[in-house]
Amino acid sequence: MTAQDWIIAESERKFVDTFNLARRTPEDKLDWSPVEGTRSILSILQEITGSASWVPALLKARKFEFSPEAMAAMKAEMEGWTSLEACETACREKMEGMFAEIRAFPDGDLFEKMHLPFFGGRDVTFEEVMGIFLWNLNYHYGQIAYIQTAYGDHKMS
């Protein structure tokens, strides 16, 4: 199994896990947040869905090129997904494009680096770039579970 195959398989698995976890949320709690200024499950799902576009963009450009205009357009697109179902459908479509870019990326370039400005900035390999969506899913899975406990869902499943 190649690194690309593993990233794709794990992303698919965690996508299913994350949306299944979110589906446990009562409809009236999807847009609820535990404390003013914190995010709701719907907001998190919107970001997850949008993040499926980040990897292909980074792999194609081979550098970070998100202008303020591109960020505003991305935010507007994310706000257009107003339900769990809309997020899931759009995310599935975006994942197919992301997986195609991951599969097409040359093996010989996996360990070349690019700079990302996040968390103080650092150089990352393209193999790491391919895993950004998976990392984002894992990170937000925990947030969704926490929000569920905040509104009283303590069932482990």
Side-chain angles (χ1 to χ4, degrees):
M1 176 180 277
T2 66
Q4 296 95 314
D5 292 337
W6 184 87
I7 289 167
I8 290 167
E10 287 299 301
S11 295
E12 177 66 36
R13 183 185 63 76
K14 193 50 130 188
F15 163 81
V16 169
D17 290 349
T18 301
F19 277 86
N20 283 342
L21 179 66
R23 230 182 311 288
R24 282 193 7 211
T25 306
E27 190 71 32
D28 67 323
K29 296 293 186 196
L30 280 172
D31 209 18
W32 176 84
S33 61
V35 178
E36 186 177 331
T38 62
R39 296 178 70 186
S40 68
I41 291 174
L42 181 58
S43 169
I44 290 167
L45 294 175
Q46 290 168 330
E47 179 187 318
I48 287 169
T49 301
S51 75
S53 297
W54 303 346
V55 171
L58 292 169
L59 292 178
K60 284 179 188 175
R62 294 191 178 223
K63 62 183 176 178
F64 182 81
E65 293 185 321
F66 288 88
S67 67
E69 295 80 20
M71 296 297 280
M74 190 181 325
K75 184 175 188 256
E77 181 183 32
M78 290 189 313
E79 290 171 351
W81 303 311
T82 58
S83 69
L84 185 151
E85 294 77 16
C87 289
E88 188 171 20
T89 298
C91 193
R92 169 70 60 205
E93 291 170 5
K94 290 179 177 297
M95 284 170 45
E96 291 308 316
M98 177 181 63
F99 294 161
E101 285 297 322
I102 289 172
R103 285 184 190 103
F105 196 83
D107 289 345
D109 294 350
L110 285 174
F111 300 105
E112 301 226 352
K113 293 187 176 186
M114 65 176 289
H115 186 79
L116 290 180
F118 311 112
F119 308 114
R122 73 179 185 97
D123 291 341
V124 296
T125 66
F126 287 104
E127 182 182 51
E128 289 176 282
V129 168
M130 290 177 188
I132 289 171
F133 178 73
L134 176 58
W135 178 91
N136 203 36
L137 282 167
N138 283 315
Y139 175 80
H140 288 307
Y141 182 93
Q143 287 185 318
I144 291 168
Y146 175 76
I147 292 169
Q148 289 171 331
T149 63
Y151 71 69
D153 180 356
H154 297 282
K155 181 180 173 189
M156 301 271 297
S157 61

